Amino acid sequence: MDITLALGGGGAKGNAHIGVLRLLEREGFRIRAIAGTSFGGIVACFYAAGFSPDQIQEAFSAIDQSRMYGRGQEDGPAFLGLSRVRRWLKRTLGDQTFEKARIPCAVTAVDIRTSREVVIKKGLLRDGILCTIALPGIFPSFLTEELELVDGGLLNPIPVEVARSFAPSLPVAAVTLTTPLGKPPRSIPMPLLDGLPTPLAARISNLRVAQAMDAFMRSIDIGGRQIAELRFRLEKPDVIIRPDVEDIGVLDRVDVGKMADLGERAAREKLPELRKATTWAARIRRVAANISS
């Protein structure tokens, strides 16, 4: 049963993608191509590089989440830094490239100089990750001579068409981590407060800068949810998998294993749809639709 995957962003929630991958492999699905945005881009790149779901979980679980976002000299203007993330990616992925990945892989970013989406499927996997996770204002942009790249979720929270472009005759399963429309966005505490004594953290969280950051992050969340739903209507993924992670914040500390379990549970519930989407009848309908369009 061949399939392609589009993995959405959502920060710490993205560990749920690991469970989706594990369930699909266990049930006999062959993932022929993968595309991701933000944290979904991290998982996509690791999987394409040859890491199994268990190996991805092991690598992510070993991270000290409280120390990953410190600023370094090489970090540009932003609230948090990616210097430790950069070093970790170099240790774990080395110089592996998109061109030599075991399956076709792409991540999305946005060039804020031209306001256009950029699909990255060439070059170093670790550079692609740094582009797609650069949440504006929170993490530094990825700069080249011509581009200033930030988180692809600004324009394409779940890259369905990017995944479909690799194998148009195969079904696309989209894994979204966004809260359904109609539910209020969750408040997102400042990550630097994590670990502080409760009274001190509470006092700082009442400062105007903390309240402004919370409003900014919730606004991004609302926009991302709306864009995701609109793109689903337009791009029509064959199956939508939605892990129950709406109570998890973008920068929360999480138990990676428990998050993966939530992804596995959501994928298991969608098994009938996934199997139906991989039948020959469904494949013929997709081919016919591609020809007519």
Side-chain angles (χ1 to χ4, degrees):
M1 295 181 289
D2 294 342
I3 198 167
T4 61
L5 283 184
L7 307 182
K13 302 176 184 182
N15 289 287
H17 292 313
I18 300 169
V20 174
L21 292 171
R22 182 156 46 222
L23 189 281
L24 292 176
E25 285 192 350
R26 186 183 302 148
E27 294 295 327
F29 290 90
R30 293 177 295 272
I31 300 166
R32 296 303 192 187
I34 192 166
T37 294
S38 195
F39 204 104
I42 303 177
V43 176
C45 287
F46 270 76
Y47 189 73
F51 286 71
S52 69
D54 287 346
Q55 289 172 327
I56 297 173
Q57 180 172 327
E58 182 180 356
F60 290 9
S61 296
I63 295 171
D64 183 350
Q65 299 173 39
S66 67
R67 297 174 57 86
M68 281 302 286
Y69 306 128
R71 291 185 52 77
Q73 291 183 344
E74 66 270 43
D75 286 319
F79 185 65
L80 300 175
L82 289 173
S83 58
R84 290 194 179 100
V85 175
R86 195 177 293 112
R87 291 194 293 271
W88 176 74
L89 289 172
K90 188 170 184 178
R91 287 196 306 271
T92 51
L93 291 176
D95 293 330
Q96 294 194 61
T97 64
F98 285 93
E99 292 91 336
K100 293 185 178 180
R102 68 184 176 98
I103 60 173
C105 175
V107 299
T108 63
V110 173
D111 178 19
I112 57 176
R113 295 177 182 173
T114 61
S115 304
R116 64 183 179 90
E117 181 182 339
V118 177
V119 177
I120 301 168
K121 49 187 175 181
K122 294 182 180 180
L124 294 172
L125 289 171
R126 53 188 166 92
D127 284 350
I129 289 173
L130 291 170
C131 295
T132 197
I133 67 173
L135 187 63
I138 305 300
F139 296 124
S141 305
F142 188 94
L143 300 175
T144 70
E145 290 183 3
E146 299 177 349
L147 306 174
E148 185 174 356
L149 298 172
V150 297
D151 192 326
L154 290 181
L155 294 178
N156 196 353
I158 307 99
V160 173
E161 277 302 310
V162 178
R164 181 174 286 136
S165 69
F166 287 123
S169 66
L170 296 183
V172 178
V175 187
T176 179
L177 308 173
T178 58
T179 303
L181 290 175
K183 291 190 176 182
R186 179 184 183 275
S187 290
I188 302 170
M190 291 176 67
L192 295 184
L193 302 183
D194 200 11
L196 291 179
T198 301
L200 180 58
R203 181 174 299 180
I204 295 175
S205 66
N206 287 326
L207 296 176
R208 289 191 176 186
V209 65
Q211 295 171 351
M213 180 62 66
D214 178 65
F216 170 69
M217 295 293 288
R218 283 187 289 148
S219 298
I220 288 181
D221 179 66
I222 292 169
R225 288 157 60 187
Q226 189 69 252
I227 293 172
E229 295 300 324
L230 290 173
R231 294 198 71 136
F232 277 163
R233 294 178 193 175
L234 178 66
E235 298 174 352
K236 297 180 174 60
D238 297 87
V239 181
I240 298 175
I241 301 171
R242 193 187 295 270
D244 184 14
V245 293
E246 60 187 71
D247 291 332
I248 308 299
V250 172
L251 298 173
D252 279 357
R253 289 192 200 183
V254 297
D255 183 311
V256 175
K258 289 181 180 179
M259 295 299 300
D261 289 343
L262 292 175
E264 190 169 337
R265 184 184 309 165
R268 185 179 294 110
E269 292 173 354
K270 291 290 184 173
L271 278 175
E273 291 183 42
L274 288 162
R275 292 192 175 111
K276 183 177 180 181
T278 58
T279 62
W280 274 104
R283 188 166 187 169
I284 291 170
R285 285 195 297 271
R286 280 190 296 274
V287 171
N290 290 334
I291 293 174
S292 63
S293 61

